[in-house]
Amino acid sequence: MTNETITNFPLPPELVKTLAAFEPLQLAWLSGYCWSEAQNRQTGQLADGSGVAAQGTSVLEQTEALRITVISASQTGNARNVAERLKAKLAATALDVRLIAAADYKPKNLANEKIVLLVTSTQGDGEPPEEAVSLHKFLFGKKAPQLNQTEFAVLGLGDSSYPDFCQAGKDFDSKLAELGGRRLLDRQDCDLDYQTAAEDWIERIGDILQQRQATASAVAVRQTGEQQPAVGTAVSPYNKEKPFPATLSVRQKITARNAEKDVRHLEFDLSGSGLHYQPGDALGVWFKNDPTLADEILQAVSLSGSERVEINGSAVSLKAALIHSLEITQNTPHFVKGYADLVGNEALSASTASAAAIQDYIQSTPIIGVLQTYPFALTAEQLVGLLRPLTPRLYSIASCADEVGEEVHATVGVVRYQYDGKTRSGGASSYLADRLQEDAEVEVFIEHNDNFRLPQDNKTPIIMIGSGTGIAPFRAFVQQRAVEEASGKNWLIFGNQHFTDDFLYQTEWQAFAKEGYLHKYHFAWSRDQAEKIYVQHKIREQAEALWQWLQQGAHIYVCGDATKMAKDVEQALLDVIAQQGKMSVEDADEYLDELRQKKRYQRDVY
């Protein structure tokens, strides 16, 4: 640009030089702002009559500012964390964005949305997370609206070791498009090591929306004067990325010595952590793999374990990586397919011929089983490339902080099974039950779950339905109600295999009943008679009483296995509602979904 050009340009030379340093996006934003200011000055519509817009007002342009809704549909907290990072990214670039949990979102509002960004996990057999069930039902039901005015993008989180990988994300994505919505960006499916893929998706979404805002000159200049809270702030400095080294103070087996199930009651000392939790939250545990299993793997692939590998930017020994950083107990399609390609064995390759074949194989064969059946020499880098990162395990908290102080309790079922004549164990459960010494430290964090909470009104009755270790959060619930001397009635429906072997926390439940904090209880011991009896049978037996409690405003809670138990319980509840409420199947389903939306039907399933 020549001096003559600068002289003739209708701006001071100093400002022209300043603008030369601006990026295109900044210039586009500024042009929209200046245009709006010019319009205001021409029409005399100044915010305070003096030619200066007053703080706390909005300068709106002819084109409406982008309104972005981020919906978080989370089961274990990962989807919520990604959604929070997405919201922070967009808000930092002056975009008008709000974040809302799927449990708090009213599905009927979807038709009025302009831009929807959905971050969802998947649970059970390809189902949406618990808090997104109502949204899923609405979209796939008769009342689903046309979304011709809505743009959307979906990020799915899942676990590729399961057959319906990221299925909830796939279902939401296809249905939103089917209803007329337009994709801003193709769906992104993320495995357990989701961070890199999720961050890339967030960056791409941010770029698209910033360009959309700039080119449309649709920025709303907002100066509300209101300080927004930081995303994800917490009192404690400890979290999933920076866990607290808690001391294991108590470990007690709470099933009989010869019981088929091995369940442990664990107590951890949180003194000095600043960690806080409520009944309904989960305890996250970062565990260490069994060194013996690591040695077996190294032997099968002809490695010593002393080889150096890079993990998260740091060089460590291969054996240390197998113990501390890599998943070596849960088999995955990625491992089986990758190993089969390297080995070139026909029998192993046959196990990867189809998605169904792979699933059948990984469900019946652990990683060490694959390696020992088809031993093959690998490099350290090849082995690391086949294994996914270690992820923490979550356990429903079995204590109330007001009762136990700076402790947190968990109820852990130890996974043990026979394979090729040898007993194998789950990675985290065997670490907590067998390898972690009492008074030793283990890295933990709190995973909050606002979708599994006691009623705010202590007078509200509650019905707690669980099986096996699903009893854990209900111990916390009743502890809390006892501490608060709540007047609301409490009803427990619990199932397990044997009365004499598997009655978890029996003496405590007896004490709660005696003290007046367990008003009604029914137990289903599935193996104590010829015909198996489960909690859903007890629900149907108590149909009249359960309906009466619902009419009194009771909240229903379900905790346990998602694939079988939770589905059977829901069907039993629907049968009771239809029978006692004299409703059709469709009306009963709508009634139960209304309970879900009102937070009167909550599930913690896994």
Side-chain angles (χ1 to χ4, degrees):
M1 181 178 291
T2 66
N3 290 335
E4 182 179 1
T5 304
I6 293 177
T7 302
N8 295 333
F9 199 70
L11 288 175
E14 298 81 5
L15 181 55
V16 173
K17 291 179 180 179
T18 301
L19 292 176
F22 277 34
E23 296 179 355
L25 188 62
Q26 293 173 311
L27 289 170
W29 187 96
L30 186 60
S31 70
Y33 173 79
C34 291
W35 179 89
S36 176
E37 186 69 9
Q39 292 294 106
N40 284 341
R41 295 192 182 193
Q42 287 176 356
T43 59
Q45 295 174 351
L46 300 182
D48 63 356
S50 63
V52 180
Q55 185 169 351
T57 66
S58 298
V59 182
L60 297 179
E61 303 176 25
Q62 288 182 342
T63 305
E64 185 181 5
L66 294 181
R67 291 182 292 107
I68 305 161
T69 298
V70 177
I71 301 177
S72 164
S74 189
Q75 189 69 20
T76 64
N78 290 338
R80 180 173 64 249
N81 293 337
V82 172
E84 287 173 348
R85 292 204 296 276
L86 172 60
K87 192 255 186 182
K89 167 71 176 179
L90 300 180
T93 57
L95 289 167
D96 181 9
V97 57
R98 66 162 180 157
L99 169 62
I100 186 168
D104 299 322
Y105 185 77
K106 294 182 179 179
K108 64 182 181 181
N109 291 342
L110 198 61
N112 300 321
E113 301 286 3
K114 299 300 182 184
I115 297 177
V116 175
L117 308 178
L118 174 63
V119 182
T120 180
S121 61
T122 295
Q123 68 152 343
D125 294 330
E127 298 160 355
E130 190 60 32
E131 67 170 327
V133 171
S134 289
L135 178 61
H136 188 272
K137 282 179 172 289
F138 177 75
L139 284 172
F140 284 81
K142 297 177 181 178
K143 298 180 180 179
Q146 286 300 303
L147 302 176
N148 299 324
Q149 304 302 314
T150 303
E151 294 182 282
F152 72 93
V154 176
L155 181 140
L157 300 182
D159 181 345
S160 61
S161 64
Y162 289 92
D164 299 304
F165 174 56
C166 286
Q167 191 61 48
K170 295 173 183 177
D171 290 345
F172 276 121
D173 180 75
S174 61
K175 178 55 70 171
L176 289 169
E178 181 185 322
L179 293 172
R182 300 184 306 281
R183 289 186 181 87
L184 278 166
L185 187 64
D186 287 342
R187 187 191 74 249
Q188 175 69 56
D189 296 335
C190 301
D191 209 337
L192 290 179
D193 52 343
Y194 62 87
Q195 289 84 353
T196 301
E199 288 299 333
D200 177 67
W201 186 82
I202 289 173
E203 287 294 327
R204 286 185 288 154
I205 281 289
D207 290 344
I208 290 171
L209 292 176
Q210 288 175 57
Q211 290 293 339
R212 179 74 58 81
Q213 187 87 314
T215 55
S217 294
V219 177
V221 181
R222 289 190 167 187
Q223 292 181 320
T224 62
E226 179 181 350
Q227 183 67 35
Q228 296 296 322
V231 175
T233 56
V235 174
S236 173
Y238 299 102
N239 51 39
K240 182 179 180 180
E241 287 70 34
K242 183 184 177 183
F244 175 70
T247 300
L248 174 64
S249 54
V250 173
R251 176 172 53 213
Q252 179 184 2
K253 187 174 182 179
I254 55 175
T255 46
R257 179 177 300 176
N258 297 319
E260 183 177 334
K261 294 184 177 182
D262 181 358
V263 179
R264 307 296 178 93
H265 169 77
L266 306 176
E267 299 181 5
F268 302 91
D269 186 358
L270 299 180
S271 298
S273 69
L275 289 170
H276 301 284
Y277 64 87
Q278 299 180 56
D281 288 340
L283 179 70
V285 177
W286 286 99
F287 64 97
K288 299 175 184 177
N289 285 313
D290 188 350
T292 302
L293 178 59
D295 287 336
E296 289 184 273
I297 290 174
L298 291 168
Q299 182 179 0
V301 297
S302 301
L303 292 168
S304 68
S306 62
E307 298 84 358
R308 306 297 286 179
V309 294
E310 185 173 308
I311 301 291
N312 298 324
S314 299
V316 298
S317 72
L318 177 58
K319 183 169 181 179
L322 293 177
I323 294 173
H324 299 281
S325 305
L326 298 171
E327 177 61 70
I328 63 175
T329 55
Q330 291 186 350
N331 203 349
T332 67
H334 173 75
F335 177 83
V336 173
K337 287 188 289 187
Y339 191 65
D341 290 342
L342 292 170
V343 173
N345 181 279
E346 290 186 8
L348 181 57
S349 297
S351 299
T352 66
S354 67
I358 293 173
Q359 286 300 324
D360 288 342
Y361 187 65
I362 66 172
Q363 294 300 324
S364 60
T365 312
I367 287 175
I368 186 60
V370 179
L371 296 176
Q372 290 182 339
T373 304
Y374 307 100
F376 186 78
L378 298 178
T379 66
E381 290 74 17
Q382 286 175 325
L383 178 59
V384 170
L386 293 172
L387 300 171
R388 66 185 183 188
L390 193 67
T391 55
R393 303 296 193 258
L394 297 180
Y395 298 98
S396 299
I397 290 176
S399 57
C400 152
D402 290 336
E403 171 67 22
V404 303
E406 289 191 294
E407 294 179 1
V408 62
H409 300 176
T411 311
V412 177
V414 186
V415 176
R416 303 192 199 279
Y417 60 95
Q418 293 293 314
Y419 180 80
D420 197 23
K422 185 173 183 178
T423 300
R424 298 290 180 182
S425 302
S429 62
S430 64
Y431 171 70
L432 293 171
D434 304 329
R435 298 191 300 281
L436 181 67
Q437 300 298 311
E438 286 196 31
D439 297 325
E441 291 182 343
V442 57
E443 295 183 327
V444 304
F445 60 94
I446 300 298
E447 190 65 59
H448 298 290
N449 182 6
D450 291 334
N451 301 306
F452 203 71
R453 291 282 187 250
L454 281 166
Q456 293 185 352
D457 186 349
N458 276 340
K459 298 188 292 294
T460 303
I462 63 173
I463 304 170
M464 302 166 286
I465 306 168
S467 62
T469 56
I471 195 84
F474 302 142
R475 179 178 186 260
F477 276 17
V478 181
Q479 278 187 358
Q480 185 73 51
R481 291 204 130 186
V483 166
E484 296 177 356
E485 299 182 351
S487 60
K489 296 185 295 182
N490 307 314
W491 181 359
L492 175 67
I493 303 176
F494 172 63
N496 218 336
Q497 290 188 350
H498 300 283
F499 167 74
T500 55
D501 292 349
D502 306 299
F503 195 164
L504 307 183
Y505 302 111
Q506 177 181 0
T507 58
E508 293 187 31
W509 293 117
Q510 291 172 333
F512 283 136
K514 183 177 181 180
E515 294 164 6
Y517 293 107
L518 187 60
H519 305 81
K520 196 174 181 67
Y521 45 87
H522 291 88
F523 303 109
W525 309 113
S526 61
R527 307 298 197 274
D528 278 353
Q529 60 284 313
E531 183 180 354
K532 293 180 180 178
I533 298 176
Y534 296 109
V535 289
Q536 59 265 28
H537 298 124
K538 295 298 179 180
I539 291 170
R540 290 188 173 92
E541 286 178 8
Q542 298 297 317
E544 184 176 353
L546 191 145
W547 181 249
Q548 289 175 353
W549 278 51
L550 285 177
Q551 301 313 295
Q552 296 166 8
H555 287 213
I556 300 177
Y557 300 89
V558 179
C559 185
D561 171 57
T563 58
K564 182 64 177 173
M565 174 265 187
K567 291 181 178 179
D568 291 340
V569 165
E570 179 153 315
Q571 186 57 58
L573 290 173
L574 288 169
D575 292 344
V576 167
I577 292 167
Q579 175 195 21
Q580 296 294 316
K582 296 179 173 55
M583 302 180 192
S584 66
V585 172
E586 292 77 13
D587 288 343
D589 185 70
E590 186 172 339
Y591 178 92
L592 188 61
D593 196 54
E594 287 178 1
L595 293 183
R596 181 184 280 110
Q597 293 186 40
K598 294 176 181 178
K599 303 291 183 72
R600 288 182 56 195
Y601 175 43
Q602 300 181 36
R603 305 195 306 174
D604 180 12
V605 295
Y606 40 84

